[in-house]
Amino acid sequence: MLAVSVGAMIGSGIFVLPGLAAKIAGPAVIVAYLLAGVLVLPAALSKAEMATAMPESGGTYLYIDRAMGPRLGTISGVGAWFSLVFKSAFALVGLGAYLLLFVPIPGNRVVLVSLGLAVLLLVVNVVGVKQSGRLQAGIVSLVLIALFVFVADGLTFVESTQYHPFFEEGSAGLLAAIGFVFVSYAGVTKVASVAEEVENPGRNIPIAILGSVILMMFVYTFITFVVIGVTPLGELEASLTPMAVAAEQFLGGTGSVGVAVVAVLALASMANAGILSSSRFPLAMSRDDLAPSSLREIDPRFHTPVVAIGVTGALLLGLVAFVPVVELAKLASAFKILVFSLVNVALIAFRESDLEAYDPEFVAPATRGYSWPASSAE
Amino acid sequence: MGTLALAGAVGIVLVGTLWYRVYGRERTEREGAALDAIRRTITDYALDRTRELLATGGERRVLIPVGSATTAERERDLLRLAADMLPQRTPTPDGGDARERTDGSPRFGADTDVDTSMGIRVRGRWGPRRPFGHRHGPYGPFEPHEPGGRRP
């Protein structure tokens, strides 16, 4: 369970973004990762509560739609779908960059490789590989072990001079970087969207959501600490493969290739999870009559929503082929922040509505004391 | 960095809104839990204010909005409501408050009979006061009465 959500988060957030984010904030990017995690916590708590009250597929879209009606529901559904596809596209492009490190292909073919992989993953999604869950868990464990080794070994090579000046780009740079790396925590959404299939959701969902956010805060912070500490900043800023660049500094060429292989695995599983969960948004919206009915058709042979996956795939391929990488990450990040705040509003709406059907097993603790004009009137 | 991210967010919101307008709006009739919560809040607030006002007593006026499309029956209903809100034993000396007009349109002027009779009614016959304690509909005590009225 924890593996699902950590698996959804571990990917482009750590293998691709640190370099680009360091360009924005300087070494303070370490703090940016930590603060972004803190900012995600309220939304994560809200989500945990609503997931225990409505254990159904659809996640964010479902909560916002039920709380604030079909108009905002449509916006969040379309947006969540877009940004998850962005994320998958970003993972695929990053994957291409890492793949280059140990497979000899000409640089201008990277896009073709990414496109090929996208098609492969789409086919996998349509055919519906039953073992993908277990495979995912295996990959996550492997990646976590590799990251642990990376941090443990890397910490002994850290140069303190690397951290000066710490706030290289000032507070504006730090804030921009927080917004930028915010997407790294977006994976918490996915636990909620598989809530339907979880045993004892009242207990396990909150544990999985909170546990993974806190775990990832530590992982991100330590990794960026090592990456910044061992890599010359100039080299880092230009890189789409910051983990490999960093590993090369203290583990040599073999270490770099090792990291690259792990990164390819992690990014592939992330792109796969992204396609899987993003294709469920059109499905859920179609069930609510907010999208054409063909999107909810389940293929009789494969038992998967073929049309929804197809539409998602078309957008994914278009993004990978025509939109530059960095822009991809940026486009999604601000909208994510908006969605996270809407999730918090949705929670308040549900609590104030006195709906009998709304009876969460888990009540988000930090939000008990919020004030709302109606409370005094009742 | 900021501009593109914000443009992306705005763009996504626009696409979502457009999609809803073009496709979703005519196919759905649901509404969210938040609207219900807001309505309760407003109703409760209006009730509290009304109670407060009735409890304090003293001079007060009731303004009744009347448009050219308002039926005589509806006018009567509104006036009765307004009468309920005024202090029971202290009608204004001229009873004219109910007749006061703000837009100066000729309709009432041409229809003085109705107007006067209403004024007399307001002044002369205090109907049994409607208790404000019970729950009202989504528009509070000012809920439209006619069957074609805007109801959620």
Side-chain angles (χ1 to χ4, degrees), chain B residues 23-39:
Chain B
Y23 190 92
R25 190 162 55 175
E26 58 195 42
R27 288 175 176 80
T28 48
E29 274 187 5
R30 291 169 291 132
E31 59 178 29
L35 268 181
D36 180 59
I38 289 169
R39 259 191 225 118

Side-chain angles (χ1 to χ4, degrees), chain A residues 29-49:
Chain A
V29 67
I30 303 164
V31 183
Y33 270 101
L34 199 61
L35 288 179
V38 174
L39 286 176
V40 170
L41 274 178
L45 285 165
S46 300
K47 253 181 199 163
E49 179 177 322

Side-chain angles (χ1 to χ4, degrees), chain B residues 97-111:
Chain B
D97 276 343
R99 259 184 298 167
E100 216 171 88
R101 320 267 332 278
T102 50
D103 62 345
S105 71
R107 191 165 158 259
F108 256 131
D111 212 350

Side-chain angles (χ1 to χ4, degrees), chain A residues 2 27 49 72 83 133-134 167 189 199 201 213 219 241 272 279 324 364 374:
Chain A
L2 201 62
E49 179 177 322
L72 279 173
S83 45
R134 199 169 296 167
F167 292 100
T189 323
E199 278 176 53
V213 170
V219 170
T241 57
N272 184 45
S279 63

Side-chain angles (χ1 to χ4, degrees), chain A:
Chain A
M1 185 57 200
L2 201 62
V4 174
S5 98
V6 172
M9 282 197 270
I10 224 158
S12 60
I14 198 64
F15 287 106
V16 185
L17 284 184
L20 303 166
K23 197 170 171 182
I24 298 170
V29 67
I30 303 164
V31 183
Y33 270 101
L34 199 61
L35 288 179
V38 174
L39 286 176
V40 170
L41 274 178
L45 285 165
S46 300
K47 253 181 199 163
E49 179 177 322
M50 287 187 282
T52 62
M54 291 169 272
E56 280 173 60
S57 291
T60 328
Y61 156 71
L62 192 75
Y63 309 144
I64 296 181
D65 182 272
R66 295 298 180 267
M68 282 169 280
R71 180 189 302 265
L72 279 173
T74 307
I75 294 175
S76 69
V78 170
W81 179 62
F82 265 134
S83 45
L84 260 178
V85 178
F86 282 148
K87 227 181 128 164
S88 299
F90 191 64
L92 280 171
V93 173
L95 188 153
Y98 273 100
L99 204 60
L100 271 185
L101 295 176
F102 60 93
V103 181
I105 27 174
N108 54 0
R109 295 284 166 81
V110 181
V111 174
L112 286 181
V113 174
S114 301
L115 286 175
L117 273 162
V119 172
L120 184 71
L121 290 176
L122 285 169
V123 171
V124 168
N125 263 287
V126 168
V127 178
V129 177
K130 281 201 182 110
Q131 281 74 29
S132 71
R134 199 169 296 167
L135 186 71
Q136 191 102 0
I139 291 178
V140 168
S141 317
L142 183 71
V143 171
L144 276 179
I145 291 169
L147 290 180
F148 184 77
V149 172
F150 177 85
V151 169
D153 197 21
L155 278 176
T156 58
F157 289 87
V158 165
E159 296 264 352
S160 60
T161 50
Q162 291 287 342
Y163 302 105
H164 301 290
F166 192 68
F167 292 100
E168 195 185 44
E169 307 290 334
S171 58
L174 177 63
L175 286 176
I178 292 175
F180 192 60
V181 299
F182 205 74
V183 273
S184 313
Y185 292 95
V188 279
T189 323
K190 288 170 198 159
V191 188
S193 55
V194 295
E196 222 168 281
E197 300 132 45
V198 178
E199 278 176 53
N200 191 5
R203 180 177 164 274
N204 286 340
I205 291 176
I207 290 180
I209 290 184
L210 294 181
S212 55
V213 170
I214 290 163
L215 176 69
M216 289 317 288
M217 275 167 73
F218 280 107
V219 170
Y220 283 146
T221 309
F222 273 107
I223 296 225
T224 39
F225 183 78
V226 170
V227 169
I228 300 272
V230 299
T231 323
L233 206 54
E235 226 174 288
L236 188 62
E237 286 175 356
S239 175
L240 269 181
T241 57
M243 291 281 290
V245 173
E248 197 167 6
Q249 306 294 321
F250 61 94
L251 293 171
T254 353
S256 170
V257 170
V259 165
V261 173
V262 171
V264 165
L265 281 178
L267 290 168
S269 84
M270 180 185 178
N272 184 45
I275 296 171
L276 183 78
S277 44
S278 61
S279 63
R280 298 308 187 258
F281 284 108
L283 175 73
M285 286 176 69
S286 168
R287 281 181 178 158
D288 287 344
D289 291 324
L290 286 173
S293 57
S294 59
L295 286 173
R296 61 175 165 244
E297 274 167 24
I298 306 285
D299 188 274
R301 254 181 314 164
F302 305 121
H303 307 290
T304 46
V306 179
V307 183
I309 293 175
V311 172
T312 306
L315 178 68
L316 179 68
L317 294 175
L319 284 173
V320 173
F322 301 114
V323 185
V325 191
V326 190
E327 270 61 41
L328 279 181
K330 285 181 185 170
L331 272 174
S333 64
F335 185 78
K336 267 284 165 208
I337 299 175
L338 184 69
V339 165
F340 275 49
S341 14
L342 281 179
V343 164
N344 290 329
V345 177
L347 178 78
I348 296 176
F350 275 123
R351 291 207 184 154
E352 291 300 331
S353 67
D354 290 342
L355 283 180
E356 275 177 32
Y358 184 73
D359 184 20
E361 285 183 55
F362 166 79
V363 176
T367 48
R368 275 199 188 113
Y370 68 82
S371 70
W372 178 250
S375 316
S376 55
E378 282 176 72

